[in-house]
Amino acid sequence: MYRKAQSWGESISERIERLASENAVVIFSMSSCCMCHSVKRLLCGLGVNPIVYELDEDPITGKEMEKALKRMLGGSFAVPAVYIGGKLVGSMDRVLCAHINGSLVPLLKDAGALWL
């Protein structure tokens, strides 16, 4: 069941931050987005079990959350938006850069998403 963010007395941005802080790795995604699929595969391939919020499957606040994420990411795309340890890492480009330069795994370990 989906509820309006306002019913909890919080803004859409506050809801995003709350959802992101409740788990080690959170991905805001669209079910038909190839970049979203790729970032999910990358993280799962590393042994992470991310929580995924498919915005297009939320008929009540999905569009509003997409607009807020677009503002937060400062670009033309809202998804994928990846949070690790409650902090916004960014979109696919930032996650891939972190993976290539070797900083992604330590970040995931610090967040408690990986143990080895």
Side-chain angles (χ1 to χ4, degrees):
M1 292 288 144
Y2 295 104
R3 300 169 120 186
K4 287 191 174 198
Q6 290 76 18
S7 68
W8 287 320
E10 62 186 1
S11 71
I12 291 296
S13 295
E14 290 170 335
R15 181 174 185 215
I16 290 169
E17 294 298 324
R18 180 180 54 77
L19 292 171
S21 69
E22 290 176 345
N23 294 283
V25 179
V26 177
I27 303 170
F28 291 93
S29 174
M30 294 282 211
S31 59
S32 61
C33 171
C34 63
M35 290 295 112
C36 296
H37 176 75
S38 296
V39 79
K40 288 183 265 186
R41 294 283 301 183
L42 170 65
L43 291 170
C44 288
L46 291 172
V48 175
N49 187 21
I51 299 299
V52 178
Y53 292 97
E54 299 289 359
L55 301 180
D56 55 330
E57 294 177 5
D58 181 345
I60 296 172
T61 60
K63 285 288 184 195
E64 293 174 56
M65 290 176 77
E66 182 181 358
K67 288 176 190 173
L69 286 164
K70 193 173 188 178
R71 282 191 305 273
M72 289 176 183
L73 289 169
S76 58
F77 299 104
V79 293
V82 179
Y83 283 79
I84 299 175
K87 294 185 175 107
L88 178 61
V89 173
S91 196
M92 181 66 180
D93 58 338
R94 299 288 175 126
V95 175
L96 259 178
C97 284
H99 180 57
I100 291 168
N101 72 25
S103 63
L104 181 60
V105 169
L107 190 61
L108 292 167
K109 285 181 181 178
D110 289 345
L114 289 177
W115 292 272
L116 299 175

